[in-house]
Amino acid sequence: MSSPAILAGKRLLLGVSGSVAAYKAVDLASKLTQGGAEVSVILSESAQRFVTALAFQAVTGRAVHTDMWELGSDGRGHIAHIELGENADLCLIAPGSAQTIARLAAGFADNLLSLTALSLRCPLLIAPAMDGGMYEHPATQANLATLRARGVQIIAPAMGRMASGLRGQGRLPETAALVGEIRRALGRQSGALRGRRLLVSAGGTREALDPVRYLGNRSSGRQGYAIAQAALDAGAEVTLISTVEGRDAPVGAGVIRVETAAEMRAETLTHLAGVDALIMAAAVADFRPAAAASQKIKRGTLETLALPLERAADALAAVAERREQGSGPAVVVGFAAESEDLRRHAAEKLVAKRLDLLLANDITEADAGFAVETNRITLFAKDGTVEEWPLLHKEAVAQRLMAWIATLLAAGDSTAEE
Ligand code: CTP
């Protein structure tokens, strides 16, 4: 997992209650700390039966809290729970045991964790983890419903093997999923794209030649996925139209799977309603076989094989038409991978595709573009601005792009108000 900028400097409160999954919370505390967050951990009495305060102290480098009578460190004579609750940017209880969930739903203040939950001034997330039967029990479900109604975000437990050996829904989600939920909640709290909807395309399209083979390209989808994650970090609602297999989508993104350019165009248009910004990071085929063979093409005695190709559907061209008719997203961003004369081709594409921003890169450079972690972008804006960005990690490219989109959307809002 790379270090997400959104976690840097954030004060996170991690409440750990008594479930066998408590050991996984040590990994979570470690990953959050590695991401630059200040992680304060509260352990319930039962949690201490499963894991030690020392383990959390070692991975967070901070004192761990267990005692509701502990004095705070702010010199104001406050006891710790007030200070912990007041100072946090976000609180996650993971694992949340049935007992802790019941305590919180009833508003009890009989241990440091429940006491602190009553002092919180920040969003509270709870990841329940318990045996499947306990999770499904009406008492637990009613308690969760009560907490939800009060604005607590409940992270659904995962399905799978339980400590009891039975299968059920009650497993603590993996660390990456919990980190993703935290990022999303932090973004929604203070991100520059709060309340915005973004549609992002990612990956390379595949056009069938026959039932076995396809015409494709080298796009890995990394840049598109990084954009979707950066948009979530900035608080946006994100839909990702993706051709990519085997890569976990960012937590919180709605994912639409496509394969061909025609599907990419159709899904883009279907999901355009209410979208503030469209980012077409996908490498979409320009040509496809005029007719895919229904049976596998046999080698036979052929020495050469000519395949007639026809123009593939162009998603951005369809979006441009909609914008001409006065609908469509306020901001449309395209990508261009060029192998020669980048500035001229990019400037032409910006106009031809009626884009607000075009991010171009030279694919002849080994450290930029397809299948590598980094990209060297030249940004072209509709107002004539040209920015040469240094070699950046694709996540950093995505963050810079989000800053541009936030500025363009804000400028659009103020023009609309005039
Ligand atoms: N694009 C698209 N549909 C296509 C081809 C491209 O929506 N059938 C989008 C890409 O996602 C990208 C932008 O258009 O954001 C530019 O893609 P590119 O292939 O560079 O542009 P083309 O117009 O195909 O120009 P050329 O291939 O001739 O350089």
Side-chain angles (χ1 to χ4, degrees):
M1 205 186 306
S2 53
S3 288
I6 187 165
L7 292 178
K10 291 286 169 10
R11 286 166 304 186
L12 304 180
L13 198 50
L14 175 62
V16 181
S17 57
S19 152
V20 64
Y23 76 93
K24 295 185 182 173
V26 180
D27 183 46
L28 175 63
S30 172
K31 293 294 187 319
L32 294 170
T33 306
Q34 289 171 42
E38 279 179 21
V39 185
S40 298
V41 177
I42 298 177
L43 293 180
S44 73
E45 301 79 359
S46 312
Q48 294 170 68
R49 301 268 185 145
F50 292 101
V51 277
T52 64
L54 183 64
F56 287 100
Q57 201 171 319
V59 297
T60 63
R62 300 172 67 81
V64 170
H65 309 276
T66 54
D67 177 9
M68 65 190 275
W69 304 112
E70 173 193 327
L71 279 182
S73 58
D74 64 357
R76 291 190 284 153
H78 281 157
I79 51 179
H81 66 91
I82 304 287
E83 192 177 312
L84 289 168
E86 275 184 358
N87 288 343
D89 293 311
L90 184 134
C91 177
L92 168 68
I93 299 182
S97 66
Q99 170 67 21
T100 287
I101 287 165
R103 267 198 185 112
L104 265 54
F108 281 120
D110 59 349
N111 69 3
L112 181 61
L113 185 50
S114 57
L115 200 55
T116 306
L118 291 176
S119 322
L120 288 178
R121 298 192 180 171
C122 64
L124 170 61
L125 280 63
I126 301 179
M130 63 198 76
D131 193 65
M134 290 171 71
Y135 177 69
E136 281 160 22
H137 194 283
T140 305
Q141 288 302 317
N143 288 332
L144 290 171
T146 301
L147 291 168
R148 258 190 218 103
R150 281 189 210 137
V152 176
Q153 188 193 325
I154 307 297
I155 302 170
M159 284 291 296
R161 185 189 176 279
M162 322 291 307
S164 61
L166 299 172
R167 275 186 63 79
Q169 185 180 9
R171 285 172 61 87
L172 187 70
E174 295 306 317
T175 297
L178 295 174
V179 173
E181 294 290 358
I182 289 173
R183 293 174 76 156
R184 192 178 181 210
L186 288 170
R188 282 178 170 169
Q189 206 180 332
S190 56
L193 292 171
R194 279 194 315 268
R196 308 287 194 186
R197 291 174 63 93
L198 266 61
L199 184 59
V200 182
S201 71
T205 56
R206 290 177 173 188
E207 308 294 331
L209 292 168
D210 67 16
V212 185
R213 306 174 181 101
Y214 60 83
L215 267 183
N217 60 65
R218 293 181 193 276
S219 171
S220 64
R222 273 200 192 113
Q223 186 62 76
Y225 275 51
I227 289 168
Q229 180 65 71
L232 288 159
D233 285 350
E237 295 297 316
V238 177
T239 303
L240 182 61
I241 304 181
S242 170
T243 67
V244 180
E245 284 165 14
R247 181 187 290 273
D248 286 338
V251 173
V255 183
I256 316 286
R257 297 261 163 225
V258 296
E259 192 170 286
T260 64
E263 289 167 7
M264 182 68 85
R265 176 184 181 280
E267 294 294 348
T268 302
L269 294 179
T270 302
H271 291 89
L272 218 48
V275 163
D276 298 294
L278 167 69
I279 301 117
M280 284 296 296
V284 188
D286 288 334
F287 293 97
R288 64 174 192 176
S294 58
Q295 302 298 329
K296 187 180 170 202
I297 301 170
K298 302 298 273 180
R299 178 160 48 151
T301 55
L302 292 176
E303 286 303 327
T304 60
L305 174 63
L307 291 165
L309 302 180
E310 65 181 18
R311 215 177 233 291
D314 190 317
L316 275 182
V319 174
E321 274 173 30
R322 287 217 177 165
R323 294 181 99 193
E324 278 199 350
Q325 292 155 10
S327 64
V331 172
V332 178
V333 182
F335 273 74
E338 303 291 347
S339 58
E340 54 167 359
D341 212 351
L342 181 138
R343 279 192 176 241
R344 185 170 63 81
H345 283 132
E348 283 171 8
K349 234 169 243 182
L350 184 78
V351 176
K353 300 208 171 215
R354 291 179 180 77
L355 302 173
D356 299 284
L357 295 176
L358 180 75
L359 275 62
N361 65 308
D362 181 345
I363 52 167
T364 61
E365 293 173 4
D367 51 5
F370 292 133
V372 290
E373 299 280 346
T374 49
N375 224 342
R376 188 178 286 109
I377 294 289
T378 308
L379 173 138
F380 298 80
K382 195 167 74 176
D383 68 0
T385 307
V386 178
E387 271 185 15
E388 283 196 19
W389 294 357
L391 184 70
L392 294 170
H393 199 279
K394 285 180 177 173
E395 289 184 356
V397 168
Q399 282 160 19
R400 282 195 182 207
L401 175 58
M402 290 311 118
W404 262 93
I405 290 174
T407 306
L408 290 178
L409 287 174
D413 288 349
S414 52
T415 316
E417 278 161 19
E418 277 163 16

